[in-house]
Amino acid sequence: LLVQFHFKQIKMEEYQEEMSSFWKRFCYFAEMNNPLKPFISEKTLKQSITVLENYRNSLQASLKSEEDQRLYRRALRVEKAVLHPDTKERIPWLFRMSNVALASIPLNYGLICATQTPMVIFLSHLANQTYCCFWNYYNRNATAPITQKEIAQGYLLTTASSISVAWGIRNKANKLLGRHLRKRHFMVIANLVVTASACSVAGFLNLYLIRKNEIKKGVEIFDEEGNTYGLSQKAAKRAVLKSAFTRFILEWPNVLFFAMSIGLLKAMKFKPATKNRQIAMELGISTVILAFCIP
């Protein structure tokens, strides 16, 4: 009991220190989203788990050297990046937070760079919502179980809403912009606006439906020392709605910064020599922006 209390106290103090300012929170989540994290080896993971177990079983943890503390923090980052916080099972590399930017490269090609024919709209949004559904499942709150029926319902609803919104806005864009869409930079930015609109609605619904059981059951709440007070439905509702709203607004900084980047390159009269290089540049800009926007 003394070891558990000691570790809880240290863990809570560290968490409060890491989250004490916007910059520290940004750095913390930026490290969690490091694109190199998906390539953590099994050996590194086992070493990190051993370091954490030794730390948690030691009453002298707070008296260790700075080097030991550095190793502990590194091991903790590895554990959080690879293992599910509730089940401690390894999250498939494709669905880790650190892999979102890399996984989005092929998805962004269909959503942003390709000419938006009806078939491209259908297949690209189907692929994107399939990825989001799996991502939400593997990063869910495992203390609130969800049935396969609920997962299927959420998947079908979000996929249908994404395709419907994308199709509707695209038709309006074709009527309003017309010949302007023949220009490459206009087409790409229009594709991005359509995608952001569709994914914002679908992302909100996807996360809310996948995690709605948390609202019914409640989530654990803790005091400043890390001791649990019990389950709270009110806290669960606030957490789920805030997370879902974050999914809604997450797409729009990508649109803004992408449009600014394309506009800046156009003002500098920078134009790749071939279409393939143009697509590679657009995908690169979108990936870098997404990597910074998530934290």
Side-chain angles (χ1 to χ4, degrees), residues 17-295:
E17 173 63 23
E18 288 174 337
M19 302 297 168
S20 60
S21 68
F22 174 82
W23 177 246
K24 288 183 178 181
R25 290 193 295 272
F26 178 84
C27 292
Y28 173 82
F29 287 111
E31 188 173 354
M32 289 294 98
N33 297 317
N34 185 342
L36 298 178
K37 283 289 196 299
F39 305 104
I40 293 173
S41 65
E42 189 70 28
K43 180 181 178 181
T44 301
L45 177 59
K46 289 180 178 179
Q47 289 174 344
S48 299
I49 293 174
T50 301
V51 170
L52 292 175
E53 288 178 348
N54 291 338
Y55 183 89
R56 290 163 182 166
N57 292 329
S58 173
L59 287 174
Q60 302 300 319
S62 59
L63 302 177
K64 289 185 176 181
S65 65
E66 291 185 4
E67 177 64 16
D68 288 337
Q69 290 295 324
R70 186 188 67 80
L71 291 175
Y72 163 74
R73 289 179 181 275
R74 180 177 179 275
L76 191 62
R77 298 291 189 274
V78 170
E79 181 192 51
K80 288 183 177 181
V82 178
L83 302 182
H84 192 283
D86 297 327
T87 64
K88 297 303 179 183
E89 295 176 353
R90 187 163 186 163
I91 300 174
W93 71 272
L94 189 61
F95 305 111
R96 297 174 195 166
M97 177 63 80
S98 55
N99 199 42
V100 170
L102 295 178
S104 296
I105 294 176
L107 295 173
N108 283 344
Y109 175 78
L111 293 168
I112 300 173
C113 300
T115 302
Q116 297 296 289
T117 64
M119 185 57 67
V120 169
I121 291 175
F122 175 79
L123 292 178
S124 59
H125 284 272
L126 177 65
N128 186 56
Q129 291 308 314
T130 300
Y131 176 78
C132 289
C133 184
F134 276 103
W135 194 95
N136 283 332
Y137 174 77
Y138 282 112
N139 293 276
R140 72 197 186 283
N141 183 346
T143 61
I146 184 172
T147 65
Q148 292 183 352
K149 181 180 178 181
E150 290 171 329
I151 294 174
Q153 289 175 342
Y155 172 69
L156 292 174
L157 178 60
T158 53
T159 302
S161 65
S162 179
I163 294 172
S164 300
V165 171
W167 178 259
I169 296 178
R170 186 68 194 187
N171 284 339
K172 290 291 184 181
N174 288 339
K175 293 177 182 179
L176 292 174
L177 299 177
R179 59 187 178 83
H180 293 295
L181 293 178
R182 297 174 186 173
K183 298 179 180 180
R184 177 73 191 179
H185 59 281
F186 268 112
M187 184 200 79
V188 171
I189 294 175
N191 289 351
L192 196 57
V193 171
V194 171
T195 297
S197 302
C199 291
S200 293
V201 174
F204 181 95
L205 292 173
N206 197 326
L207 187 140
Y208 182 82
L209 292 171
I210 290 292
R211 297 181 58 182
K212 66 179 181 179
N213 279 349
E214 294 178 35
I215 299 177
K216 296 178 182 178
K217 182 180 178 181
V219 295
E220 283 189 313
I221 55 176
F222 304 87
D223 61 17
E224 294 180 353
E225 295 180 350
N227 300 311
T228 181
Y229 278 130
L231 298 175
S232 170
Q233 291 179 325
K234 185 176 181 180
K237 184 177 181 179
R238 289 182 60 186
V240 171
L241 287 177
K242 284 183 178 180
S243 297
F245 184 69
T246 300
R247 293 294 179 86
F248 182 84
I249 66 174
L250 181 63
E251 303 292 336
W252 294 103
N254 197 10
V255 175
L256 176 62
F257 291 127
F258 189 92
M260 291 172 59
S261 301
I262 294 295
L264 180 62
L265 292 174
K266 192 172 185 297
M268 296 169 60
K269 297 182 179 180
F270 178 81
K271 186 177 181 180
T274 65
K275 184 178 180 180
N276 288 338
R277 291 181 181 179
Q278 176 83 13
I279 292 173
M281 181 192 73
E282 293 163 355
L283 288 175
I285 293 173
S286 179
T287 302
V288 170
I289 291 173
L290 185 60
F292 279 95
C293 283
I294 290 176

